[in-house]
Amino acid sequence: MVVLKAASPPTVPSVNKINNGYPCSNGTIKPLITPSPSSFINLDQGDPEVFRSYWRKKSEECTVVINGEDLMSYLSDTSNVCWFMLPELREAIQRLHRVVGNASVGMDKHIVVGTGSTQLFQAALFALSPSDSPNPINVVAASPYYSEYQEEVEILRSGLYRWGGDAREYDKNEAYIEVVTAPNNPCGSIRRAVANCEGEGKVIHDFAYYWPQYTPITQQYDHDLMLFTFSKCTGHAGSRIGWAIVKDIEVARKMTRFIQMSSIGVSKESQIRVAKIIGVICDSYQKIGSSLDSDELFFEYSNRKMRERWEKLRAIVEKSNLFSLAKYPKAYCTFTNNTSESYPAFAWMKCKGGIEDCESFLRNLKVFVRGGKRFGVDQKYARVSLLSRDEMFNEFLTRISNITSDRKYKLN
């Protein structure tokens, strides 16, 4: 919750009222829409509302007060490469990674903040592309790859880079940029660079989902260029904050230049809010050993939430002869000091038997999902978001449970 101090401040809804809808700036509540058996439910997008109930309880702790004269300048810290990043956000990001242990943030690293990791991806492509090459550099990713990579590469019709397809099939003797997503979106597996060719390769590591609620933290990564997003870390997608951890200062400078030219920096209001919320998370882990309940710890709460969803979904799918789900090996998590399996943000479902198009099949159930073709694979696959509100997720379970028990859909 952000409270803006002004001459006539808006009425801030009480926590109890917010339970029943979205608070608006004028003090009213926009009611939540509860899906009915006849309504469409959208599980195509990864809109992370699954953790809303946790943050509702933390509403007061996460309050930020911004005065009318605050944050007016473009500039934040001119001594830093990323001059529009607030020092408190940089310190909060460093603290978060030290608490979780998923990425190295030592003195040799540079942090660049962006309007979500989408802007940072474009900035990384700009920074890694040679400016003196007569031909665009190829951008590749191993299928199934994130469905937006190709569109993000192609949308600007850049003369610096172009989409090069599946990294496993890339065999050109030309320079390339490989995008490695770990855990992978859509399938949840841990990925490494796979391109095997004679061309000089550079790698962007997208760690949007490398957080303890989705996968065991098995090591502290220390790659040249790593992308993270607040959206999937905590669920606050509306704040539109992502960050890159970069080794090479010249790459960090070029990324900063791209963001400067595209948006002249990043919203300071969002930066302040993100720094505050990260602080709330980290502070709670410093209180371990006190009377704190495990549900007071964000990553414990969110991991339990994802585990419960996966257990419910697997129980239904295992009784079905229509679908199958990917299985994940157990691994030791250095953050929780426990061995567990992954609980990805998306279910990578495969239709079996005579169903050739999983997306269309689920659409007939009035469930929007994203088909395999968007990820560079067969249409028998579809990505289903597990990040929606409880009402949406439970309605999805009801529909696939009913369809798998209906005899007219049983296949030989």
Side-chain angles (χ1 to χ4, degrees):
M1 178 173 64
V2 178
V3 179
L4 300 178
K5 277 193 173 181
S8 300
T11 303
V12 179
S14 69
V15 173
N16 288 333
K17 289 182 179 179
I18 294 174
N19 288 347
N20 299 317
Y22 297 98
C24 300
S25 60
N26 62 2
T28 62
I29 300 294
K30 181 180 179 180
L32 295 174
I33 299 175
T34 301
S36 68
S38 61
S39 64
F40 282 93
I41 56 176
N42 190 344
L43 301 182
D44 174 290
Q45 300 171 333
D47 197 10
E49 294 196 84
V50 60
F51 310 130
R52 179 180 290 273
S53 60
Y54 177 87
W55 293 114
R56 183 181 297 128
K57 294 187 298 182
K58 297 290 184 178
S59 178
E60 294 301 320
E61 292 179 57
C62 295
T63 296
V64 175
V65 177
I66 301 174
N67 295 303
E69 75 275 15
D70 292 344
L71 312 176
M72 293 181 66
S73 174
Y74 288 120
L75 305 177
S76 295
D77 181 4
T78 55
S79 66
N80 186 36
V81 171
C82 186
W83 51 266
F84 46 78
M85 179 170 60
L86 294 170
E88 49 264 57
L89 177 61
R90 182 176 64 254
E91 292 165 4
I93 289 170
Q94 291 170 333
R95 185 186 181 197
L96 178 63
H97 284 297
R98 291 187 181 115
V99 167
V100 175
N102 58 347
S104 174
V105 286
M107 295 297 292
D108 60 330
K109 306 298 190 304
H110 307 280
I111 298 176
V112 179
V113 68
T115 305
S117 60
T118 300
Q119 186 184 38
L120 288 164
F121 178 63
Q122 292 282 2
L125 293 177
F126 171 78
L128 296 179
S129 298
S131 58
D132 56 354
S133 175
N135 298 310
I137 192 170
N138 292 293
V139 181
V140 298
S143 64
Y145 43 73
Y146 175 44
S147 57
E148 301 301 313
Y149 284 151
Q150 182 174 355
E151 293 182 31
E152 288 173 15
V153 169
E154 294 177 339
I155 190 169
L156 295 180
R157 300 182 181 179
S158 172
L160 294 176
Y161 48 82
R162 64 189 175 196
W163 181 246
D166 192 336
R168 293 190 182 91
E169 299 176 1
Y170 186 75
D171 58 2
K172 298 179 181 179
N173 186 19
E174 299 175 0
Y176 65 92
I177 299 171
E178 182 174 357
V179 190
V180 177
T181 310
N184 191 39
N185 175 0
C187 66
S189 62
I190 298 297
R191 293 287 191 86
R192 290 177 171 81
V194 298
N196 184 18
C197 62
E198 296 181 3
E200 179 185 356
K202 300 175 183 179
V203 182
I204 299 171
H205 285 88
D206 186 344
F207 287 127
Y209 299 93
Y210 191 52
W211 297 102
Q213 64 266 48
Y214 306 118
T215 189
I217 303 302
T218 57
Q219 62 179 297
Q220 184 182 76
Y221 283 107
D222 189 25
H223 295 298
D224 290 343
L225 200 164
M226 302 180 286
L227 303 181
F228 292 88
T229 170
F230 196 60
S231 300
K232 300 309 188 291
C233 174
T234 68
H236 292 87
S239 294
R240 306 307 307 129
I241 291 290
W243 61 91
I245 302 174
V246 186
K247 284 186 179 181
D248 189 328
I249 191 171
E250 292 306 319
V251 172
R253 284 191 176 122
K254 290 183 73 174
M255 292 181 68
T256 299
R257 175 65 174 167
F258 178 91
I259 295 170
Q260 175 187 342
M261 297 307 297
S262 61
S263 58
I264 321 181
V266 176
S267 166
K268 290 185 182 180
E269 285 83 359
S270 289
Q271 291 187 57
I272 285 287
R273 185 189 190 207
V274 168
K276 177 68 173 181
I277 292 172
I278 289 177
V280 169
I281 292 174
C282 294
D283 288 346
S284 67
Y285 282 95
Q286 289 186 332
K287 298 176 183 177
I288 291 179
S290 64
S291 58
L292 273 181
D293 184 88
S294 62
D295 270 7
E296 290 294 313
L297 301 170
F298 173 70
F299 290 117
E300 274 67 15
Y301 168 89
S302 54
N303 178 265
R304 176 182 61 78
K305 191 78 173 179
M306 295 306 299
R307 183 181 71 249
E308 290 174 352
R309 290 198 169 191
W310 270 97
E311 288 172 350
K312 291 176 181 178
L313 179 59
R314 285 196 186 280
I316 292 172
V317 169
E318 286 173 1
K319 297 178 182 178
S320 166
N321 58 352
L322 300 179
F323 308 105
S324 64
L325 291 169
K327 294 184 178 181
Y328 306 98
K330 290 187 176 182
Y332 181 77
C333 179
T334 58
F335 175 74
T336 62
N337 294 319
N338 289 313
T339 298
S340 67
E341 62 183 89
S342 295
Y343 305 108
F346 303 99
W348 189 230
M349 295 184 70
K350 182 180 181 181
C351 282
K352 301 191 298 184
I355 303 173
E356 297 296 327
D357 189 332
C358 195
E359 179 182 13
S360 296
F361 182 79
L362 290 173
R363 186 182 290 266
N364 288 333
L365 302 181
K366 296 187 176 181
V367 179
F368 291 123
V369 297
R370 196 168 296 184
K373 186 178 180 180
R374 293 277 303 277
F375 303 92
V377 297
D378 195 280
Q379 274 296 98
K380 287 186 177 182
Y381 290 91
R383 191 195 74 171
V384 181
S385 173
L386 300 189
L387 299 176
S388 63
R389 291 186 288 115
D390 288 340
E391 297 88 348
M392 304 277 280
F393 177 72
N394 292 332
E395 178 62 26
F396 168 66
L397 293 182
T398 297
R399 293 185 191 185
I400 63 169
S401 178
N402 290 341
I403 208 73
T404 55
S405 62
D406 193 329
R407 289 187 178 183
K408 69 179 180 179
Y409 288 99
K410 289 190 176 181
L411 304 171
N412 295 324

